[in-house]
Amino acid sequence: MTLPTSHSKTHHSHTQNTPKTTDVSALASPIPQQAFDWYDEYAHGDIDRRTFLSRLGTLSIAGLTLSVVAGALTPNYALAEQVSFNDPDIIASYVEFDAPRGHGKGRGYLVRPKNVDINNKAAAVLVAHENRGLNPYIEDVARRLAKAGFIAFAPDALFPLGGYPGNDDEGRAMQRTLDGSKIEGDFMDAATLLKNHDFSTGKVGIVGFCFGGYLANTLAAEMPETINAAAPYYGTPAKSNIDKIKAPMQLHFAELDQRVNDTWPEYENTLKANQVTYEAFIYPQTNHGFHNDSTARYDEKNAELAWQRTLNFFKETLRA
């Protein structure tokens, strides 16, 4: 993929792939958009679970019970594995790292291609999770990157509290208790670890989803000498130092995600003003979280298109 020299216009994606036929995606069509919007509010702490379920109960959804709809919107991680944890082409482990800018110590999931070593180095990609800790979907994203030839590292912001608890609701509640600036510090130190890793070329990218999209934007702004490429998915802009961004950016947005999309025009103007190389893609009729293949928000054709764009972007920008 050839990147533009300064910036590019926002694109709308189109693809003709056949959607995946799983129980979750089969339910996606009859669920009203209001339910997805309410789930987004719930997932981001704007309403509690009781209010979310109460609202769902007001909907008239032919043939679907409240429990079925709520279940379809809640992650089922058995559906999310695309690359097995014991795939013979990768080596995965959990590693701890020093995080002086964050909580002092961090822990994450490190995955590399089996053929990468001190004599055959690879570019590295930091994977930033959503607002609920290092869940199985994010671990799978790290494995997908390793299968594509990158060293991938996915830190767990919940490590200071014992790590991802195995439940997204509890994970969200836990993450809300942490100091956001220290979480950012943990991920910054994780990026430094990747830059200096013995098997790394020193080129570091970051991809993040939801809260992780915000982290991708933030690290690009706060670590312009470390981050060489950033691919935020439906993430809000950094709170400061946007004018310091040097890395090429590839931004992915869901068309129906008004909360995040409202932040884009001003952010885009800043990127243009600072001559940042960027691409922005808006995926039609998709909801926030469309890349996460464990819920009814998943949109396979657009998720696969976005992911292929992301891999091409990193292959282009992280070349030694």
Side-chain angles (χ1 to χ4, degrees), residues 203-223:
K203 294 286 189 178
V204 179
I206 180 170
V207 61
F209 307 87
C210 184
F211 172 74
Y214 161 76
L215 287 178
N217 286 320
T218 296
L219 265 64
E222 298 293 338
M223 306 182 76

Side-chain angles (χ1 to χ4, degrees), residues 146-166:
K147 283 285 283 187
F150 300 98
I151 299 169
F153 189 46
D156 187 356
L158 301 183
F159 175 67
L161 301 177
Y164 175 70

